[in-house]
Amino acid sequence: MRASLRRMAIAAIAAIALLAPSGAALQTVSASAGIPAPDDYFGFHIGSDGNLATADKMLSYFQLIGKNSDEVDYAKLGDTTLGNPYYMLTISSKKNLRDLDRLLAINNRLADPRGLSQAQAQKLAAQGKPIYYIQAGIHANEVGNSQAMIEIAHRLATEKSAYIRHILDNAIILMVPTQNPDGLMLVNDYFKATAGTNYARTYPDLYQKYTGHDDNRDWFMFTQVESRLMVSIQNKYHPQAFQDAHQAGTGAPRMFTPPYLSPSDPNIDPITVQQTNALGMAMQRGMTAAGMKGVGWGMTYDYWTPSRQYQVYHGSVRMLTEAASVSNLAYPYTSTRPIGQQQADTNFIEPYDQNVWRLRQILDYTSQTFYSGVEALANDPYNWLYNFYRVGQKAVSRTDAYAYVIPANQRDPQAIHDVLGILRTGAVEIQRARTAFTAGGKEYPAGSYVIYLAQPYGAFAKTLLEVQHYPELLEYPGGPPQRPYDVTAQTLPMLLGFKADLVKDRFSVQATPVGQARPEPVTMPAAPGDDGAYAVGPESYGVFRFVSALQQQGVPTFRAAEKFTDDGRDFPAGTFVVPPTAQARQILQAQSQSTGIPVSAISKVPEISGTELKPGTRIGLLKPTNNIPAGWLMWMFDQYKVNYQTLKAQDYQGDLRSKYDTIVIPSEVSKNNIVNGLNAASYPPEWSWAFGVGEAGWNRLRDFVNDGGTLVTYGSATNTADQLLDLPIESVLPTSSSTFYSPGSLLSQRIDTGSPVGWGMDPENPVWFEGDDAFRVTDAGKYDVKVVSKYPESGSQLQSGWLIGGQYLNGAANAMTFNVGKGYVVTFGNQAGFRTWNRAEQKMIFNAMYHGPSEKLTADRFARLGG
């Protein structure tokens, strides 16, 4: 009874604290020695109009707190894409920090409860401390939430109130003040540098080198170093709650928290969903108790895609908090009337009744969500830890599906290497069969991979390997679709191009655990004779790593335009053929070992038509400022070491053909981006590369094609190519989303693998489609149009995700080639380069880039390898 009264007293103290503004609550003792108040350190009131702390000063302040507080540990975890420190604060009581290894061991044991009895789990839950992980600033132009971390860290490090003491005694806080340190530096430094000028205050380009605003869409492919660092925190500490602090538009609710809209991915444990709902409502209650109006839940955001919520498949609730933004990053947003929705509802209990919204309020609302969230864990540590165990126990004892099997000897070793790397990064256990075995009535060879689903993170593997069936949710019966927050499909076998079989019933196999994912072992063949050559099949998207390496060293590279046979082995059209020199062998061997893609030797180069890739093919990437698809393509080009440059406005002043062989225009690049670009009056001279090129520059892009250049476009940029060149195509899709809708899905495709653009493709490889377009050819004779891929003439177009009105795609063209003047144009109606996810399909972009400038060889010349 006495213990119960004590818990009630602590809860009462916490509730009182929530009634005061979070930054000022219960400051019984102000500052610890050596830790100045934020306003003193930064020289202005944090959150005041027009002021932002910069990255360098924030870093030094957090380091200072870590040095001078015995309840805060500062640690650098790694380096970012641009080489800035990525750091984290661990905050708790002195006792908990001294005991951190033991507390983490408890968390790790609860996360993987195999062999742990219920009684043992209950004992550990009573001994442990729940972990609350908060990160801010992943979207660097959402400046308020990272600024709030300054005050939160100071308060936790210095305040000696009963309220803060209760939190630190009963919870461990992991704080990443900026998940995107590069962006914080770019955005806040630019804001500071443009103060007192007539220039725009918002940084105009991608604030993460490659992904920009998509940097929180990378939590299952793990392409970026920041994503992998975030995952390393999750995998080491196993937090029970994760708060991802963001900002939304100026007209959004003053703060959004969960509960989310439907749907929830069925692979998220129901306990996790319910705990998310409960914690979100605690945040809502805390803001309302503190007098903060205009807050809402159950709006806009769903609980579906793993690309932005890795944590929920690893036992942690993900708390997305979205504060409304202000004007020009840090200036008040004003209106002639109260801001935002004024109709009260169950999920929007008190409308905001003011016509001004300030940066200071973003900090206060964000801070309140944090304190309400971490307080909920501190008030109920046992149940948070025991429910965490329950989620793990359900995962390791599941019986509805037994395993996924990834068969050995598939067509693309790079795809297998990539998926194994993704799963291992996600802490998924993988076994490799030592012998052949039977599962689900099917024979599998030795070397096949087995992912048992009864394991702690089997749900993560399952959601990535299975087909998605997104529910058909409409705004109202017969009305338009309820828009998913992001996309609806993430089926890795379709995106990367491999096979994975779900086996529901138990089977036996002798297998060995897979540690670090490594490429398949390969052996170089004996050197071919003088009449022979090395050959590399075109099936793998990783083969273009070979191309870049060969081109960098000036090794001639050829492609067979027809299928051929050598010593009883069949080679498809598009096979790469390389002269049998010692230099070529060295390059091919290195690339083969790093990718697992085999190299063959042919005894005689066949007498068939072929091509020779242009030596040092020069690729131009048309990247306006803040174009995310171009950023993703930059990342892929850099991984493959492609010889590319981004186009600058200055390039249009001369002959584009003298600089580039191929120009790639990704989705979301319009004529306006090119002609008008950035306004020179609004940005400093260093941004002149992105200023508009005018109609003269637009015409020079057309001249580039007519004079023999290759142009490759995808997604909405295909309409840009149509504007430029008057292509003989027209859309076949309805404009109403009630009639046709595909919000990020994988659709059926029929690909002509005899076309150079389709070389090496699975003829039925699905394609990515998100609000894209499909076409019919209006004049096949104009520009000698060839359809490379199209949607099936009839039948189901949907492979994974959600699609309304698929019949409108029947027989429609997707990828097409055109001979325009002396040039070569390849267009994709869909987003063939979407976030680098759909790598099997993206290979067609690489095919097109290199084929256009290549020299076409007769059979005689090809047999002599161009001689």
Side-chain angles (χ1 to χ4, degrees):
M1 182 67 175
R2 190 170 296 170
S4 298
L5 289 173
R6 182 176 180 274
R7 282 196 296 268
M8 289 173 63
I10 291 172
I13 291 170
I16 292 169
L18 285 174
L19 294 176
S22 59
L26 294 177
Q27 299 206 17
T28 319
V29 178
S30 180
S32 295
I35 304 178
D39 294 4
D40 295 333
Y41 189 84
F42 290 93
F44 57 85
H45 182 43
I46 300 297
S48 57
D49 295 348
N51 290 304
L52 291 177
T54 53
D56 56 345
K57 197 102 183 225
M58 287 174 65
L59 171 61
S60 64
Y61 188 63
F62 290 123
Q63 289 173 325
L64 184 151
I65 291 176
K67 178 181 179 182
N68 292 317
S69 172
D70 52 12
E71 295 185 322
V72 179
D73 284 343
Y74 166 92
K76 176 186 172 184
L77 303 185
D79 293 315
T80 65
T81 302
L82 297 181
N84 292 303
Y86 182 100
Y87 55 94
M88 181 180 78
L89 304 180
T90 304
I91 308 172
S92 195
S93 68
K94 287 184 288 186
K95 181 179 183 299
N96 288 342
L97 291 183
R98 284 197 304 267
D99 207 18
L100 188 61
D101 288 345
R102 185 182 71 86
L103 295 174
L104 292 185
I106 290 173
N107 241 23
N108 291 342
R109 190 68 188 93
L110 294 173
D112 182 0
R114 287 172 290 193
L116 188 68
S117 70
Q118 183 176 347
Q120 290 170 324
Q122 290 169 337
K123 183 177 179 180
L124 289 175
Q127 295 174 350
K129 305 292 182 183
I131 297 177
Y132 192 97
Y133 172 14
I134 181 170
Q135 72 170 27
I138 188 168
H139 292 156
N141 63 352
E142 299 168 7
V143 295
N145 49 72
S146 58
Q147 302 287 294
M149 298 303 107
I150 297 169
E151 293 185 334
I152 292 172
H154 173 263
R155 183 183 181 193
L156 293 172
T158 62
E159 187 178 309
K160 306 304 180 183
S161 67
Y163 176 66
I164 295 298
R165 185 82 276 127
H166 172 64
I167 289 173
L168 298 183
D169 285 344
N170 291 283
I172 298 165
I173 298 159
L174 308 177
M175 177 188 287
V176 175
T178 170
Q179 166 65 11
N180 178 13
D182 296 346
L184 179 70
M185 178 189 69
L186 294 170
V187 170
N188 290 21
D189 283 4
Y190 184 83
F191 181 83
K192 181 179 178 181
T194 54
T197 72
N198 292 323
Y199 293 131
R201 303 300 304 280
T202 303
Y203 184 74
D205 205 3
L206 298 176
Y207 47 67
Q208 200 280 349
K209 178 179 179 180
Y210 296 117
T211 64
H213 199 77
D214 272 355
D215 56 357
N216 70 330
R217 307 296 196 272
D218 188 42
W219 294 355
F220 76 99
M221 294 297 259
F222 313 125
T223 66
Q224 304 303 302
V225 62
E226 294 85 358
S227 303
R228 294 192 293 275
L229 287 166
M230 181 275 293
V231 165
S232 72
I233 297 170
Q234 179 75 36
N235 292 352
K236 176 180 178 179
Y237 292 89
H238 303 288
Q240 281 66 47
F242 170 75
Q243 182 177 350
D244 191 9
H246 284 254
Q247 287 172 216
T250 56
R254 299 304 87 190
M255 177 65 80
F256 166 87
T257 75
Y260 297 105
L261 279 175
S262 293
S264 296
D265 181 354
N267 293 299
I268 305 173
D269 190 280
I271 294 175
T272 302
V273 175
Q274 292 286 24
Q275 290 195 144
T276 304
N277 296 343
L279 197 56
M281 294 310 293
M283 291 177 170
Q284 292 283 322
R285 183 179 65 243
M287 287 184 288
T288 299
M292 297 175 175
K293 298 181 179 181
V295 302
W297 54 273
M299 306 170 177
T300 307
Y301 308 98
D302 56 42
Y303 220 7
W304 185 259
T305 52
S307 63
R308 55 189 176 85
Q309 48 199 32
Y310 173 86
Q311 301 76 17
V312 300
Y313 305 96
H314 293 75
S316 178
V317 303
R318 179 192 178 231
M319 306 305 298
L320 173 67
T321 59
E322 292 266 1
S325 293
V326 292
S327 298
N328 288 320
L329 300 180
Y331 291 95
Y333 173 71
T334 61
S335 175
T336 58
R337 63 190 68 183
I339 297 170
Q341 176 182 330
Q342 293 300 300
Q343 178 65 48
D345 206 339
T346 302
N347 63 341
F348 190 74
I349 201 72
E350 280 187 300
Y352 185 67
D353 54 6
Q354 303 297 310
N355 66 348
V356 179
W357 176 250
R358 289 189 146 85
L359 177 63
R360 179 65 250 174
Q361 292 170 283
I362 296 176
L363 272 66
D364 290 339
Y365 278 56
T366 297
S367 297
Q368 186 62 64
T369 60
F370 164 77
Y371 288 116
S372 295
V374 74
E375 179 197 8
L377 269 67
N379 284 348
D380 194 15
Y382 174 83
N383 279 317
W384 276 94
L385 288 168
Y386 189 62
N387 283 334
F388 182 69
Y389 155 77
R390 283 172 164 159
V391 171
Q393 182 60 36
K394 288 170 67 180
V396 300
S397 57
R398 72 181 303 160
T399 58
D400 60 322
Y402 189 63
Y404 266 95
V405 178
I406 300 176
N409 307 322
Q410 298 202 39
R411 70 194 308 273
D412 191 345
Q414 181 73 58
I416 301 302
H417 180 230
D418 283 356
V419 70
L420 295 180
I422 288 167
L423 294 175
R424 290 299 298 132
T425 299
V428 172
E429 298 167 357
I430 305 170
Q431 304 280 329
R432 190 171 194 188
R434 297 196 300 271
T435 60
F437 65 98
T438 301
K442 183 176 177 179
E443 297 288 333
Y444 292 97
S448 297
Y449 295 96
V450 179
I451 299 105
Y452 295 109
L453 295 177
Q455 60 167 294
Y457 311 120
F460 186 61
K462 186 171 181 288
T463 203
L464 297 186
L465 295 174
E466 70 183 3
V467 172
Q468 277 70 58
H469 302 284
Y470 194 87
E472 184 162 317
L473 300 174
L474 306 180
E475 295 287 353
Y476 50 85
Q482 176 184 296
R483 180 179 175 81
Y485 182 64
D486 192 34
V487 299
T488 63
Q490 66 267 351
T491 308
L492 282 181
M494 296 181 187
L495 292 167
L496 302 183
F498 67 94
K499 304 296 183 185
D501 300 330
L502 176 63
V503 181
K504 293 189 175 182
D505 298 323
R506 295 179 64 88
F507 59 88
S508 298
V509 57
Q510 298 179 27
T512 302
V514 173
Q516 183 179 353
R518 301 184 186 280
E520 291 291 324
V522 288
T523 302
M524 280 292 288
D530 293 341
D531 293 335
Y534 293 107
V536 183
E539 295 87 357
S540 174
Y541 55 79
V543 76
F544 286 97
R545 298 176 186 268
F546 289 65
V547 171
S548 292
L550 292 165
Q551 290 216 333
Q552 286 173 4
Q553 298 301 317
V555 176
T557 306
F558 301 82
R559 299 193 77 173
E562 306 170 42
K563 62 183 179 180
F564 65 94
T565 301
D566 181 85
D567 287 345
R569 293 173 299 169
D570 294 329
F571 294 86
T575 295
F576 292 87
V577 179
V578 183
T581 64
Q583 182 187 30
R585 182 180 181 86
Q586 183 179 17
I587 295 169
L588 292 171
Q589 184 170 13
Q591 292 300 316
S592 181
Q593 289 175 347
S594 67
T595 61
I597 299 170
V599 175
S600 301
I602 55 176
S603 59
K604 183 177 177 60
V605 178
E607 193 168 335
I608 57 175
S609 60
T611 65
E612 179 179 3
L613 272 60
K614 183 172 182 179
T617 307
R618 302 165 304 169
I619 309 297
L621 175 59
L622 209 162
K623 177 193 169 296
T625 55
N626 209 28
N627 182 272
I628 298 174
W632 280 110
L633 207 53
M634 283 173 55
W635 180 82
M636 183 60 81
F637 284 176
D638 283 347
Q639 305 316 297
Y640 282 49
K641 296 181 170 56
V642 171
N643 179 27
Y644 82 100
Q645 292 182 351
T646 56
L647 270 72
K648 300 175 177 58
Q650 292 80 357
D651 292 341
Y652 293 85
Q653 296 171 6
D655 177 17
L656 289 169
R657 281 287 290 124
S658 67
K659 297 181 177 71
Y660 304 107
D661 300 310
T662 296
I663 292 176
V664 181
I665 308 182
S667 194
E668 300 175 26
V669 178
S670 66
K671 180 179 179 181
N672 179 64
N673 295 144
I674 299 167
V675 172
N676 296 322
L678 288 184
N679 184 342
S682 299
Y683 296 92
E686 57 262 33
W687 293 95
S688 62
W689 65 269
F691 293 166
V693 301
E695 290 291 339
W698 176 253
N699 292 334
R700 287 196 179 97
L701 186 59
R702 183 184 298 111
D703 293 341
F704 166 81
V705 176
N706 284 318
D707 292 344
T710 295
L711 186 70
V712 181
T713 69
Y714 61 85
S716 64
T718 290
N719 294 317
T720 305
D722 186 17
Q723 282 184 279
L724 180 72
L725 302 168
D726 189 25
L727 300 176
I729 59 175
E730 67 179 13
S731 174
V732 299
L733 298 182
T735 57
S736 168
S737 62
S738 298
T739 307
F740 178 85
Y741 190 58
S742 179
S745 304
L746 287 155
L747 307 183
S748 301
Q749 197 79 170
R750 301 292 180 265
I751 300 169
D752 179 5
T753 59
S755 164
V757 175
W759 280 344
M761 293 297 297
D762 178 336
E764 296 187 352
N765 191 96
V767 298
W768 183 267
F769 200 106
E770 185 189 16
D772 298 321
D773 214 339
F775 300 94
R776 75 176 187 88
V777 176
T778 57
D779 182 356
K782 184 179 182 181
Y783 297 152
D784 187 23
V785 186
K786 298 286 192 303
V787 174
V788 178
S789 71
K790 64 180 182 177
Y791 300 92
E793 296 291 343
S794 62
S796 175
Q797 306 292 357
L798 179 64
Q799 294 289 308
S800 184
W802 186 21
L803 177 65
I804 296 174
Q807 67 272 16
Y808 292 100
L809 289 168
N810 289 353
N814 182 31
M816 293 172 281
T817 67
F818 310 82
N819 294 319
V820 180
K822 298 178 183 178
Y824 184 64
V825 177
V826 182
T827 65
F828 298 85
N830 76 311
Q831 294 184 63
F834 185 79
R835 296 177 184 167
T836 76
W837 291 3
N838 48 335
R839 295 175 192 172
E841 176 191 359
Q842 193 176 54
K843 182 172 60 180
M844 291 196 287
I845 294 176
F846 281 80
N847 279 340
M849 289 189 326
Y850 288 103
H851 178 74
S854 66
E855 182 181 0
K856 284 48 175 186
L857 303 178
T858 62
D860 176 63
R861 287 195 62 199
F862 183 76
R864 293 183 283 113
L865 293 183

